[in-house]
Amino acid sequence: MGWMWTKEHRARQAAFERRRYPTDLTDEEWQVICPLLPPSSARGRRVGVDLREVLNAIRYLARAGCGWRMLPVHFGPWQTIYWWFRR
């Protein structure tokens, strides 16, 4: 009974659950691409997804050649990624 969930353990677990892919954007690439993305509307809702993860998912999909429904779940729902791709 000496093992417990601590803040440190939860942080390590979160890092383990979201491993990076070779297709993920680097920080330098993100700095270049970020200003090119559409801004959120002043009148509408704020963007509810992480656009960096959306781009990571699209890059993963292009490199892996898999179908939309085969995206790993940590990227979010495939319908959301597809919607941003079409936009």
Side-chain angles (χ1 to χ4, degrees):
M1 191 126 193
W3 184 78
M4 295 180 60
W5 286 92
T6 63
K7 289 183 181 181
E8 294 81 21
H9 183 270
R10 289 184 193 276
R12 284 195 315 269
Q13 184 67 25
F16 175 76
E17 288 175 359
R18 176 56 178 110
R19 293 181 186 223
R20 308 310 304 171
Y21 291 102
T23 56
D24 285 354
L25 292 168
T26 64
D27 291 335
E28 293 81 22
E29 291 171 329
W30 178 244
Q31 293 300 322
V32 172
I33 292 173
C34 188
L36 303 174
L37 297 175
S40 59
S41 174
R43 297 182 327 172
R45 288 176 34 185
R46 293 181 183 236
V47 177
V49 296
D50 181 8
L51 292 180
R52 184 172 184 169
E53 282 302 308
V54 170
L55 289 174
N56 286 338
I58 293 170
R59 288 171 49 116
Y60 175 87
L61 209 146
R63 180 69 175 112
C66 67
W68 288 102
R69 294 172 189 241
M70 295 177 68
L71 279 174
V73 295
H74 65 266
F75 285 126
W78 69 266
Q79 297 93 336
T80 304
I81 306 299
Y82 182 74
W83 185 87
W84 280 100
F85 171 75
R86 295 287 299 182
R87 185 162 190 234

